[in-house]
Amino acid sequence: MKRILFLTTVPPDIIGTSVSDHEWSNDMLPSHLSKRGASVSIKRWTDEDIITSMLDSDVVTFLWAEDYYQNHIAFEEFLLTAKRAIETVGQQHGATHPRVINHIDLVQWNMDKKYLLDMRDAGFDIPMTEIVDAEPFTGTSALHQRLQAFQSSGPVVLKPSVSASSNNTRLIPDISALSADDDVYLELCVKGRLGSSLVVQRFESAIATGEYSFGEFRCQPEFGGEGSCIPIEQIEETTLSVVNTIFDTLKDWFGDGSTGEMGYVRIDGLVADPRAFILMEIEAIEPHLYLEMKGLEDMLSRLLK
């Protein structure tokens, strides 16, 4: 019997209520796995016995580890501890046990948006981006000057380097003329309230026509967004070529790790002629996969193999 452990941030009983009310996306997986004979458990990565539980499992997945970013320092410490424990078992027994999907090296890389700079260095098109440590600035005026050195005027997007679901993301319409609310946001930055470095990006106007997600799509209806599925035949070959190259690059970097494998990833980006694909985000930790639309069998097979 395959023993599969889902890591979560919130208490499992809260997730259990959600699953019973809303059978969708990643929430579909435990019940389908159980029906196929797997022994499924759900535990918080903060539990005291979590390392023992991981080592007693055949497969561990981060697919339910939402909100990890709210305590990302503890999450990083957990990843380091788990990696050491699994590698030690592997050295003693000559095999990786458990198999972690996605493996810890990939999760460590993906949890901080600094990975975008790696993708840029690898030759991919991203929005003009800088990563700034905001806390050393003596006040909002000093940080404002630094941001104007990045871009003197026009719209700028600011966000924590460790975040998800647009948490603490702010669009400043004109960096040369801050509003009172903009000043409040910059004050949060210099006081360390973001909890991580500050990502500074040039606003990409193509976002107004929609963002493409390959491997999954997510849209935030609370902000007026709508999602739709576009047949792959309607996507330009130049765009698909770039996206496939991104997938291939990630496979080269993270196809296998000392704790497991890369089993899923979502790639988000924009198309803005003549730019075939502007990479906006890579999600390899806990993306909603919309498995009710496609890919459920593939994911079940990957977890059960």
Side-chain angles (χ1 to χ4, degrees), residues 34-186:
S34 296
K35 290 175 183 176
R36 299 190 183 201
S39 173
V40 179
S41 57
I42 304 167
K43 289 184 68 68
R44 287 184 292 184
W45 55 266
T46 54
D47 289 346
E48 289 186 3
D49 63 342
I50 189 61
I51 301 301
T52 300
S53 297
M54 292 177 70
L55 296 179
D56 287 340
S57 302
D58 298 306
V59 177
V60 177
T61 179
F62 289 91
L63 275 169
W64 276 14
E66 296 182 359
D67 297 335
Y68 66 87
Y69 61 90
Q70 294 184 358
N71 196 4
H72 71 89
I73 294 177
F75 187 67
E76 287 179 282
E77 292 174 351
F78 157 70
L79 293 176
L80 290 171
T81 302
K83 182 178 178 180
R84 285 195 295 264
I86 295 170
E87 288 178 340
T88 298
V89 170
Q91 291 167 2
Q92 293 174 348
H93 299 281
T96 299
H97 186 79
R99 186 165 53 96
V100 184
I101 305 174
N102 282 319
H103 66 77
I104 293 175
D105 290 338
L106 175 52
V107 171
Q108 288 173 314
W109 178 79
N110 188 234
M111 68 178 290
D112 194 311
K113 290 181 174 55
K114 292 175 182 177
Y115 69 77
L116 286 172
L117 303 185
D118 293 336
M119 299 305 292
R120 181 191 64 191
D121 293 344
F124 296 105
D125 186 5
I126 68 170
M128 190 173 81
T129 299
E130 287 187 9
I131 309 291
V132 176
D133 186 0
E135 289 187 60
F137 288 90
T138 55
T140 58
S141 295
L143 178 56
H144 184 208
Q145 291 178 6
R146 174 65 180 82
L147 296 177
Q148 283 199 286
F150 170 81
Q151 181 175 302
S152 60
S153 62
V156 172
V157 176
L158 306 179
K159 66 184 76 170
S161 65
V162 180
S163 66
S165 301
S166 300
N167 182 61
N168 279 332
T169 296
R170 182 161 189 84
L171 169 64
I172 296 181
D174 186 353
I175 195 61
S176 68
L178 299 182
S179 69
D181 288 340
D182 295 334
D183 268 323
V184 170
Y185 185 90
L186 295 190

Side-chain angles (χ1 to χ4, degrees), residues 176-276:
S176 68
L178 299 182
S179 69
D181 288 340
D182 295 334
D183 268 323
V184 170
Y185 185 90
L186 295 190
E187 188 169 355
L188 291 176
C189 296
V190 298
K191 290 185 175 180
R193 301 286 178 81
L194 295 186
S196 62
S197 299
L198 178 65
V199 179
V200 186
Q201 291 184 316
R202 175 180 291 168
F203 176 71
E204 293 286 351
S205 59
I207 194 71
T209 60
E211 184 178 58
Y212 290 82
S213 284
F214 294 86
E216 180 264 345
F217 73 87
R218 173 163 52 185
C219 191
Q220 292 164 316
E222 63 268 32
F223 298 116
E226 296 181 358
S228 60
C229 186
I230 299 175
I232 198 167
E233 295 80 11
Q234 295 182 17
I235 299 174
E236 293 290 338
E237 289 187 9
T238 52
T239 297
L240 290 177
S241 177
V242 174
V243 173
N244 285 330
T245 303
I246 293 173
F247 276 120
D248 290 340
T249 299
L250 294 176
K251 290 176 184 175
D252 288 342
W253 290 353
F254 300 108
D256 291 294
S258 60
T259 60
E261 65 191 58
M262 182 176 79
Y264 57 89
V265 67
R266 186 189 81 225
I267 295 173
D268 295 342
L270 306 174
V271 176
D273 188 53
R275 299 162 74 184

